[in-house]
PDB file of all heavy atoms in Angstrom:
ATOM      1  N   THR B 106      19.618  -8.449  19.894  1.00 93.00           N
ATOM      2  CA  THR B 106      18.374  -9.198  19.707  1.00 93.00           C
ATOM      3  C   THR B 106      18.646 -10.669  19.410  1.00 93.00           C
ATOM      4  O   THR B 106      19.444 -10.999  18.538  1.00 93.00           O
ATOM      5  CB  THR B 106      17.552  -8.597  18.551  1.00 93.00           C
ATOM      6  OG1 THR B 106      17.235  -7.240  18.859  1.00 93.00           O
ATOM      7  CG2 THR B 106      16.248  -9.377  18.355  1.00 93.00           C
ATOM      8  N   ARG B 158       6.154  -5.834  32.887  1.00 95.00           N
ATOM      9  CA  ARG B 158       7.133  -6.742  33.482  1.00 95.00           C
ATOM     10  C   ARG B 158       6.466  -8.095  33.759  1.00 95.00           C
ATOM     11  O   ARG B 158       5.348  -8.163  34.273  1.00 95.00           O
ATOM     12  CB  ARG B 158       7.672  -6.164  34.788  1.00 95.00           C
ATOM     13  CG  ARG B 158       8.767  -5.114  34.599  1.00 95.00           C
ATOM     14  CD  ARG B 158       9.556  -4.915  35.898  1.00 95.00           C
ATOM     15  NE  ARG B 158      10.711  -4.071  35.675  1.00 95.00           N
ATOM     16  CZ  ARG B 158      10.778  -2.779  35.992  1.00 95.00           C
ATOM     17  NH1 ARG B 158       9.727  -2.195  36.553  1.00 95.00           N
ATOM     18  NH2 ARG B 158      11.873  -2.089  35.763  1.00 95.00           N
ATOM     19  N   ASP B 191      17.014  12.292  15.889  1.00 89.00           N
ATOM     20  CA  ASP B 191      17.681  10.995  16.000  1.00 89.00           C
ATOM     21  C   ASP B 191      17.315  10.089  14.834  1.00 89.00           C
ATOM     22  O   ASP B 191      18.180   9.429  14.254  1.00 89.00           O
ATOM     23  CB  ASP B 191      17.284  10.309  17.314  1.00 89.00           C
ATOM     24  CG  ASP B 191      17.975  10.914  18.526  1.00 89.00           C
ATOM     25  OD1 ASP B 191      18.955  11.660  18.338  1.00 89.00           O
ATOM     26  OD2 ASP B 191      17.525  10.640  19.652  1.00 89.00           O
ATOM     27  N   PRO B 193      14.686  10.452  11.550  1.00 96.00           N
ATOM     28  CA  PRO B 193      13.624  11.151  10.794  1.00 96.00           C
ATOM     29  C   PRO B 193      12.507  10.233  10.305  1.00 96.00           C
ATOM     30  O   PRO B 193      11.412  10.707  10.025  1.00 96.00           O
ATOM     31  CB  PRO B 193      14.395  11.766   9.617  1.00 96.00           C
ATOM     32  CG  PRO B 193      15.801  11.881  10.089  1.00 96.00           C
ATOM     33  CD  PRO B 193      16.022  10.685  10.964  1.00 96.00           C
ATOM     34  N   MET B 196       8.973  10.471  11.713  1.00 98.00           N
ATOM     35  CA  MET B 196       7.968  11.422  11.238  1.00 98.00           C
ATOM     36  C   MET B 196       6.953  10.723  10.345  1.00 98.00           C
ATOM     37  O   MET B 196       5.744  10.988  10.419  1.00 98.00           O
ATOM     38  CB  MET B 196       8.645  12.579  10.498  1.00 98.00           C
ATOM     39  CG  MET B 196       9.583  13.401  11.362  1.00 98.00           C
ATOM     40  SD  MET B 196      10.242  14.873  10.534  1.00 98.00           S
ATOM     41  CE  MET B 196      11.350  14.124   9.335  1.00 98.00           C
ATOM     42  N   LEU B 225      14.410  14.190   6.259  1.00 96.00           N
ATOM     43  CA  LEU B 225      14.043  12.885   5.704  1.00 96.00           C
ATOM     44  C   LEU B 225      15.013  12.467   4.599  1.00 96.00           C
ATOM     45  O   LEU B 225      15.067  11.303   4.217  1.00 96.00           O
ATOM     46  CB  LEU B 225      12.611  12.931   5.161  1.00 96.00           C
ATOM     47  CG  LEU B 225      11.944  11.584   4.879  1.00 96.00           C
ATOM     48  CD1 LEU B 225      11.695  10.820   6.171  1.00 96.00           C
ATOM     49  CD2 LEU B 225      10.633  11.768   4.126  1.00 96.00           C
ATOM     50  N   LEU B 290      -9.638   7.168  -2.958  1.00 98.00           N
ATOM     51  CA  LEU B 290      -8.875   6.198  -2.173  1.00 98.00           C
ATOM     52  C   LEU B 290      -9.778   5.533  -1.135  1.00 98.00           C
ATOM     53  O   LEU B 290      -9.760   4.300  -0.980  1.00 98.00           O
ATOM     54  CB  LEU B 290      -7.697   6.892  -1.501  1.00 98.00           C
ATOM     55  CG  LEU B 290      -6.845   6.029  -0.565  1.00 98.00           C
ATOM     56  CD1 LEU B 290      -6.294   4.811  -1.286  1.00 98.00           C
ATOM     57  CD2 LEU B 290      -5.706   6.861   0.035  1.00 98.00           C
ATOM     58  N   LYS B 298     -12.738  -4.166   0.132  1.00 96.00           N
ATOM     59  CA  LYS B 298     -13.147  -5.005   1.253  1.00 96.00           C
ATOM     60  C   LYS B 298     -14.474  -5.702   0.971  1.00 96.00           C
ATOM     61  O   LYS B 298     -14.677  -6.856   1.370  1.00 96.00           O
ATOM     62  CB  LYS B 298     -13.264  -4.155   2.522  1.00 96.00           C
ATOM     63  CG  LYS B 298     -11.932  -3.650   3.043  1.00 96.00           C
ATOM     64  CD  LYS B 298     -12.141  -2.789   4.286  1.00 96.00           C
ATOM     65  CE  LYS B 298     -10.830  -2.315   4.852  1.00 96.00           C
ATOM     66  NZ  LYS B 298     -11.021  -1.453   6.047  1.00 96.00           N
ATOM     67  N   ALA B 305      -5.781  -9.722   1.791  1.00 95.00           N
ATOM     68  CA  ALA B 305      -4.893  -8.729   2.404  1.00 95.00           C
ATOM     69  C   ALA B 305      -5.067  -7.395   1.686  1.00 95.00           C
ATOM     70  O   ALA B 305      -5.537  -7.354   0.543  1.00 95.00           O
ATOM     71  CB  ALA B 305      -3.449  -9.199   2.296  1.00 95.00           C
ATOM     72  N   LEU B 312      -2.335   2.357  -4.273  1.00 98.00           N
ATOM     73  CA  LEU B 312      -1.403   3.299  -4.893  1.00 98.00           C
ATOM     74  C   LEU B 312      -2.014   3.915  -6.141  1.00 98.00           C
ATOM     75  O   LEU B 312      -1.901   5.122  -6.384  1.00 98.00           O
ATOM     76  CB  LEU B 312      -0.098   2.588  -5.247  1.00 98.00           C
ATOM     77  CG  LEU B 312       0.950   2.424  -4.153  1.00 98.00           C
ATOM     78  CD1 LEU B 312       2.040   1.464  -4.610  1.00 98.00           C
ATOM     79  CD2 LEU B 312       1.549   3.770  -3.779  1.00 98.00           C
ATOM     80  N   GLY B 332     -14.430  26.768 -19.094  1.00 73.00           N
ATOM     81  CA  GLY B 332     -14.182  25.325 -19.049  1.00 73.00           C
ATOM     82  C   GLY B 332     -12.746  25.004 -18.675  1.00 73.00           C
ATOM     83  O   GLY B 332     -11.845  25.823 -18.836  1.00 73.00           O
ATOM     84  N   TYR B 336      -6.813  16.915 -20.871  1.00 80.00           N
ATOM     85  CA  TYR B 336      -6.640  15.917 -21.920  1.00 80.00           C
ATOM     86  C   TYR B 336      -5.372  15.092 -21.697  1.00 80.00           C
ATOM     87  O   TYR B 336      -4.294  15.626 -21.444  1.00 80.00           O
ATOM     88  CB  TYR B 336      -6.590  16.580 -23.287  1.00 80.00           C
ATOM     89  CG  TYR B 336      -7.902  17.193 -23.710  1.00 80.00           C
ATOM     90  CD1 TYR B 336      -7.952  18.472 -24.247  1.00 80.00           C
ATOM     91  CD2 TYR B 336      -9.108  16.496 -23.578  1.00 80.00           C
ATOM     92  CE1 TYR B 336      -9.154  19.046 -24.645  1.00 80.00           C
ATOM     93  CE2 TYR B 336     -10.307  17.054 -23.962  1.00 80.00           C
ATOM     94  CZ  TYR B 336     -10.332  18.323 -24.490  1.00 80.00           C
ATOM     95  OH  TYR B 336     -11.532  18.899 -24.878  1.00 80.00           O
ATOM     96  N   ARG B 388     -11.762  -6.095 -26.010  1.00 84.00           N
ATOM     97  CA  ARG B 388     -10.517  -5.316 -26.000  1.00 84.00           C
ATOM     98  C   ARG B 388     -10.276  -4.722 -24.609  1.00 84.00           C
ATOM     99  O   ARG B 388      -9.135  -4.616 -24.152  1.00 84.00           O
ATOM    100  CB  ARG B 388     -10.573  -4.214 -27.051  1.00 84.00           C
ATOM    101  CG  ARG B 388     -10.488  -4.749 -28.464  1.00 84.00           C
ATOM    102  CD  ARG B 388     -10.569  -3.636 -29.512  1.00 84.00           C
ATOM    103  NE  ARG B 388     -10.639  -4.222 -30.837  1.00 84.00           N
ATOM    104  CZ  ARG B 388      -9.582  -4.628 -31.538  1.00 84.00           C
ATOM    105  NH1 ARG B 388      -8.367  -4.482 -31.009  1.00 84.00           N
ATOM    106  NH2 ARG B 388      -9.713  -5.157 -32.723  1.00 84.00           N
ATOM    107  N   ARG B 391      -8.889  -7.518 -22.656  1.00 84.00           N
ATOM    108  CA  ARG B 391      -7.529  -7.822 -23.089  1.00 84.00           C
ATOM    109  C   ARG B 391      -6.548  -6.773 -22.590  1.00 84.00           C
ATOM    110  O   ARG B 391      -5.470  -7.093 -22.091  1.00 84.00           O
ATOM    111  CB  ARG B 391      -7.447  -7.907 -24.612  1.00 84.00           C
ATOM    112  CG  ARG B 391      -6.043  -8.266 -25.122  1.00 84.00           C
ATOM    113  CD  ARG B 391      -5.864  -7.984 -26.589  1.00 84.00           C
ATOM    114  NE  ARG B 391      -5.941  -6.552 -26.886  1.00 84.00           N
ATOM    115  CZ  ARG B 391      -5.711  -6.031 -28.091  1.00 84.00           C
ATOM    116  NH1 ARG B 391      -5.427  -6.829 -29.112  1.00 84.00           N
ATOM    117  NH2 ARG B 391      -5.793  -4.732 -28.287  1.00 84.00           N
ATOM    118  N   ALA B 406     -14.681   3.462  -8.000  1.00 95.00           N
ATOM    119  CA  ALA B 406     -14.314   4.402  -6.934  1.00 95.00           C
ATOM    120  C   ALA B 406     -14.100   5.809  -7.471  1.00 95.00           C
ATOM    121  O   ALA B 406     -14.212   6.782  -6.709  1.00 95.00           O
ATOM    122  CB  ALA B 406     -13.038   3.916  -6.244  1.00 95.00           C
ATOM    123  N   LYS B 415     -26.559  11.082 -11.900  1.00 87.00           N
ATOM    124  CA  LYS B 415     -25.365  10.740 -12.681  1.00 87.00           C
ATOM    125  C   LYS B 415     -24.630   9.559 -12.061  1.00 87.00           C
ATOM    126  O   LYS B 415     -24.193   8.636 -12.764  1.00 87.00           O
ATOM    127  CB  LYS B 415     -24.436  11.949 -12.763  1.00 87.00           C
ATOM    128  CG  LYS B 415     -23.172  11.699 -13.571  1.00 87.00           C
ATOM    129  CD  LYS B 415     -22.307  12.951 -13.633  1.00 87.00           C
ATOM    130  CE  LYS B 415     -21.033  12.694 -14.439  1.00 87.00           C
ATOM    131  NZ  LYS B 415     -20.155  13.903 -14.477  1.00 87.00           N
ATOM    132  N   PRO B 444      -5.430 -16.170 -30.034  1.00 82.00           N
ATOM    133  CA  PRO B 444      -5.916 -16.588 -31.356  1.00 82.00           C
ATOM    134  C   PRO B 444      -6.180 -18.083 -31.361  1.00 82.00           C
ATOM    135  O   PRO B 444      -5.663 -18.828 -30.518  1.00 82.00           O
ATOM    136  CB  PRO B 444      -4.749 -16.230 -32.289  1.00 82.00           C
ATOM    137  CG  PRO B 444      -3.928 -15.253 -31.539  1.00 82.00           C
ATOM    138  CD  PRO B 444      -4.087 -15.597 -30.099  1.00 82.00           C
ATOM    139  N   LEU B 446      -5.168 -20.113 -33.557  1.00 87.00           N
ATOM    140  CA  LEU B 446      -3.992 -20.791 -34.109  1.00 87.00           C
ATOM    141  C   LEU B 446      -2.757 -20.241 -33.412  1.00 87.00           C
ATOM    142  O   LEU B 446      -2.586 -19.028 -33.332  1.00 87.00           O
ATOM    143  CB  LEU B 446      -3.893 -20.555 -35.619  1.00 87.00           C
ATOM    144  CG  LEU B 446      -5.130 -20.925 -36.449  1.00 87.00           C
ATOM    145  CD1 LEU B 446      -4.944 -20.499 -37.900  1.00 87.00           C
ATOM    146  CD2 LEU B 446      -5.410 -22.430 -36.357  1.00 87.00           C
ATOM    147  N   LEU B 489      -6.680 -16.641 -42.357  1.00 91.00           N
ATOM    148  CA  LEU B 489      -5.234 -16.397 -42.317  1.00 91.00           C
ATOM    149  C   LEU B 489      -4.641 -16.502 -43.720  1.00 91.00           C
ATOM    150  O   LEU B 489      -3.836 -15.661 -44.132  1.00 91.00           O
ATOM    151  CB  LEU B 489      -4.568 -17.408 -41.370  1.00 91.00           C
ATOM    152  CG  LEU B 489      -3.039 -17.346 -41.311  1.00 91.00           C
ATOM    153  CD1 LEU B 489      -2.560 -16.002 -40.768  1.00 91.00           C
ATOM    154  CD2 LEU B 489      -2.483 -18.502 -40.452  1.00 91.00           C
TER     155      LEU B 489
END
Side-chain angles (χ1 to χ4, degrees):
T106 300
R158 279 198 172 101
D191 285 345
M196 298 186 290
L225 195 67
L290 176 57
K298 291 179 178 179
L312 277 169
Y336 292 134
R388 289 179 187 277
R391 182 196 66 175
K415 181 179 180 182
L446 306 174
L489 175 63

